[in-house]
Amino acid sequence: MRILITNDDGINAEGIRVLAEWAKTKGEVTVVAPKVEQSGKSHAIDFTRPIEIKKVALMDGIEAYSMDSTPADCVRFAYLGLKGKYDILFSGVNRGFNLGKDIVYSGTAGAIFEGGRLGIPGIAFSTDPKSFDAARKYLEKAYSFTMDNQLLDKNMLYNVNIPDCDGEIRITKQGGIYFEDEFKYLGKDMWEQTGHIVNQNEGNDNFDTDTVRNGFISVTPLMCGRTNMTVFEEIKGLCK
């Protein structure tokens, strides 16, 4: 199996090493990851300047590149620049959960959306910001659950969050807003965006937010399409 790996925490992040070390047991691994942290960059790409891309030594048996751009661009370079043919894309492991409506900001998720646009199935992995221990322990179980149940045949893209847990898995949908953001004035025309977790446990394990809070691994099917198909079917006849 030909595997592409990226992340949004950067090529030197602990999480990508955890993911790559595990992925080596599954097939041939190529890593293309941002030179520096790209959290919050969503599905952004950069086509307004030349981009630095360097081959780097990440670990034995893995071809790896550092790219001074976004996670989505890393996927694009692997596919369009390296002319790679990949069976699956893994993104992560992100330090911190990607949950609820805030997934829209995630560079970790943005990478698999770009993969999906290019026809590559993908799984985004995120875990507790305090430790990668749960990810190390349960990456295999989450992946095996996906493959054993042929989830990638039903949908190309999945968002997986692994909390400190006992390894039980739930299929979920996006919950509500996870972070509340604000702008903080620093002085001299400078501002900083800050945020804190505001999500409240609604006691509904259909939501990824509640599931992770309750100590279960969350597996959420995602899609690239933005069309509201329910409304489309309702109004498509208006222009006859």
Side-chain angles (χ1 to χ4, degrees), residues 99-102 173-179 199 202 207-209:
L99 296 167
K101 291 184 177 179
D102 294 309
K173 59 184 178 180
Q174 285 179 264
I177 293 174
Y178 191 64
F179 283 96
N199 176 260
E202 299 182 42
F207 293 145
D208 57 359
T209 44

Side-chain angles (χ1 to χ4, degrees), residues 4 6 30-33 45 51-55 63-86 114 117-118 120:
L4 175 60
T6 192
T30 301
V31 172
V32 184
I45 62 174
I51 299 173
E52 176 193 274
I53 303 171
K54 292 183 177 181
K55 196 168 187 178
E63 183 178 1
Y65 297 84
S66 166
M67 184 174 186
D68 190 16
S69 194
T70 64
D73 261 345
C74 291
V75 176
R76 290 165 62 80
F77 170 70
Y79 185 82
L80 301 171
L82 298 178
K83 308 295 184 184
K85 304 296 182 184
Y86 306 103
E114 181 61 23
R117 196 186 73 84
L118 297 171
I120 309 170

Side-chain angles (χ1 to χ4, degrees), residues 87-88 121-123 145-158 221:
D87 298 303
I88 196 165
I123 304 174
F145 177 85
T146 301
M147 302 308 289
D148 292 347
N149 291 286
Q150 300 178 316
L151 296 190
L152 291 173
D153 293 336
K154 307 176 193 303
N155 189 71
M156 286 185 68
L157 308 176
Y158 287 87

Side-chain angles (χ1 to χ4, degrees), residues 162-204:
I162 305 175
D164 183 9
C165 62
D166 294 327
E168 291 190 47
I169 296 172
R170 298 286 187 270
I171 300 294
T172 59
K173 59 184 178 180
Q174 285 179 264
I177 293 174
Y178 191 64
F179 283 96
E180 183 175 90
D181 304 310
E182 63 180 359
F183 279 84
K184 179 180 178 181
Y185 182 58
L186 302 178
K188 296 184 179 180
D189 300 325
M190 299 298 295
W191 294 75
E192 178 183 43
Q193 288 198 65
T194 62
H196 60 279
I197 297 172
V198 294
N199 176 260
Q200 298 295 314
N201 193 333
E202 299 182 42
N204 185 343

